[in-house]
Amino acid sequence: MNLSHPDFLPAPSSATGCRRHGIWRPNLTKGVICKCMQFVGPALVQKINQGGAKRSGYLGLAAQALKKYMEYERFLHQQWQYLYDEWIDHSGHNYIAFHTDEQRKKSTSKGWPGDGGRWANLGGCDPDKVQVYHGPGGEQQLWVRPVDKTLKPSAAYRRHWRKFVRSQEVQEPYTYDEKILPIDHLFPETAAARAGIAWVRITAVKARSNALVSFLEKKRAAKNEQPRPHTADYITMIKVTGFEKSLKSFANGRDFALQFVSHLESCQQIRTRPFEDIKLEIELIAHSFERAVLDNNHGGIVYL
């Protein structure tokens, strides 16, 4: 256990409240605990440092509290890992949007990427608006009907997400690095609704990474494409891996591709691995970037 972690900083001498949440409640023994389950009582920290906590049971209590506090972060890492593995392997149920109900249902048919999986209702939600994909390896994805937010602002997606997280027996607080993350449609919901897309996949992502690609997603959604299912791509990976450099700051696609691949290699929030053909992947990402961000439509076969 990392006792230098800020969760274990000593409490203020007055012990009037958590420096983050302003609320204390007594622990069963010495020390105090705030509503986010952080043990910060100085007596407890001293006990842990001296090793006496093993005999008194404080260490177990502290570890249990920290585990509860970290549950949501682990859950998000797992969701992001699923997306990354689907993307880099070009396999599994790697969809992020369906144009029709038929496409969604067919995605689990024999010979399709979701083969072996199944669709299920989410308790307490309208099954015509919310569905959960259960993969053969235990992975789960939350899918919703997109809504045009300009016509009907709604907080329904966040409520659906909380129910989904609770269904996985993940305890509150639902924060990541002390922040409440936005619930993102991996294909823009308003554009999806206007384009007649029936279902979009959602997850929580970091706010800055999400904002960086919003303009790009809207451009993609506005295209008149064939009504085929949309799959995870490098734009999806920018969001789920926490890439935070402005896309408009890159002079060309190759500069972006090199930086993005370097970011993946050093990414901490998921387990990444080398591309099978890194030179080809860099060229593919660079070409897609040139077309999407810089509007350099100079031919080729790579599409967003």
Side-chain angles (χ1 to χ4, degrees):
M1 180 174 292
N2 179 12
L3 297 178
S4 65
H5 191 284
D7 287 354
F8 291 92
L9 288 174
S13 58
S14 60
T16 55
C18 170
R19 65 188 66 190
R20 294 174 184 157
H21 298 106
I23 297 177
W24 289 108
R25 65 173 181 266
N27 189 11
L28 295 177
T29 52
K30 296 178 182 179
V32 286
I33 181 172
C34 84
K35 69 177 182 180
C36 69
M37 299 301 290
Q38 297 174 65
F39 278 73
V40 288
L44 177 59
V45 173
Q46 185 178 16
K47 279 279 188 181
I48 294 174
N49 280 328
Q50 293 173 347
K54 294 181 181 179
R55 292 188 296 274
S56 65
Y58 292 157
L59 183 60
L61 287 172
Q64 183 179 5
L66 188 57
K67 177 182 178 182
K68 181 175 181 179
Y69 182 62
M70 295 292 288
E71 272 190 9
Y72 186 61
E73 294 194 8
R74 284 195 296 270
F75 172 76
L76 289 185
H77 287 169
Q78 186 181 58
Q79 288 286 304
W80 298 335
Q81 189 71 50
Y82 290 152
L83 272 160
Y84 171 79
D85 290 342
E86 293 159 5
W87 172 68
I88 198 169
D89 291 336
H90 304 289
S91 65
H93 199 261
N94 61 344
Y95 301 111
I96 59 172
F98 293 113
H99 280 261
T100 64
D101 287 298
E102 182 183 4
Q103 286 179 352
R104 177 183 65 81
K105 294 173 182 177
K106 194 174 182 179
S107 69
T108 56
S109 301
K110 186 174 180 61
W112 283 69
D115 185 359
R118 63 183 177 86
W119 291 98
N121 300 337
L122 180 61
C125 297
D126 183 345
D128 191 50
K129 295 180 179 178
V130 184
Q131 285 286 305
V132 177
Y133 169 78
H134 295 256
E139 65 275 17
Q140 296 190 28
Q141 305 167 3
L142 182 60
W143 288 76
V144 299
R145 293 276 190 187
V147 173
D148 188 336
K149 292 189 298 186
T150 62
L151 299 177
K152 188 179 180 181
S154 174
Y157 299 137
R158 184 165 289 279
R159 292 197 300 270
H160 297 333
W161 177 255
R162 289 179 68 86
K163 287 181 180 179
F164 175 60
V165 174
R166 286 172 179 165
S167 75
Q168 310 300 303
E169 299 183 349
V170 177
Q171 300 184 68
E172 295 191 61
Y174 297 150
T175 57
Y176 185 91
D177 195 22
E178 305 174 40
K179 299 180 180 68
I180 297 176
L181 299 187
I183 306 306
D184 176 64
H185 301 74
L186 298 173
F187 192 96
E189 74 274 26
T190 295
R194 292 175 179 176
I197 289 175
W199 293 93
V200 292
R201 182 174 172 180
I202 67 174
T203 190
V205 296
K206 292 183 177 181
R208 174 162 174 78
S209 300
N210 188 34
L212 287 176
V213 298
S214 61
F215 79 98
L216 195 53
E217 290 183 311
K218 290 172 183 175
K219 285 174 63 176
R220 176 176 63 176
K223 288 185 175 182
N224 293 319
E225 298 177 324
Q226 293 295 321
R228 55 181 173 77
H230 296 269
T231 55
D233 56 17
Y234 79 92
I235 300 174
T236 315
M237 292 304 107
I238 286 173
K239 295 194 287 189
V240 302
T241 63
F243 187 79
E244 295 191 342
K245 188 167 182 179
S246 172
L247 303 188
K248 295 181 179 181
S249 68
F250 292 96
N252 56 68
R254 184 169 180 80
D255 286 350
F256 164 76
L258 290 171
Q259 180 112 10
F260 179 61
V261 169
S262 176
H263 159 75
L264 290 178
E265 291 173 347
S266 60
C267 185
Q268 297 296 311
Q269 57 197 49
I270 59 172
R271 299 181 305 278
T272 61
R273 55 187 186 275
F275 292 103
E276 290 185 6
D277 188 337
I278 191 167
K279 290 184 178 180
L280 175 61
E281 202 67 40
I282 287 173
E283 291 304 316
L284 292 174
I285 293 173
H287 189 65
S288 290
F289 183 91
E290 292 269 351
R291 292 170 59 91
V293 180
L294 304 179
D295 295 319
N296 291 341
N297 297 315
H298 45 66
I301 58 172
V302 184
Y303 300 91
L304 282 175

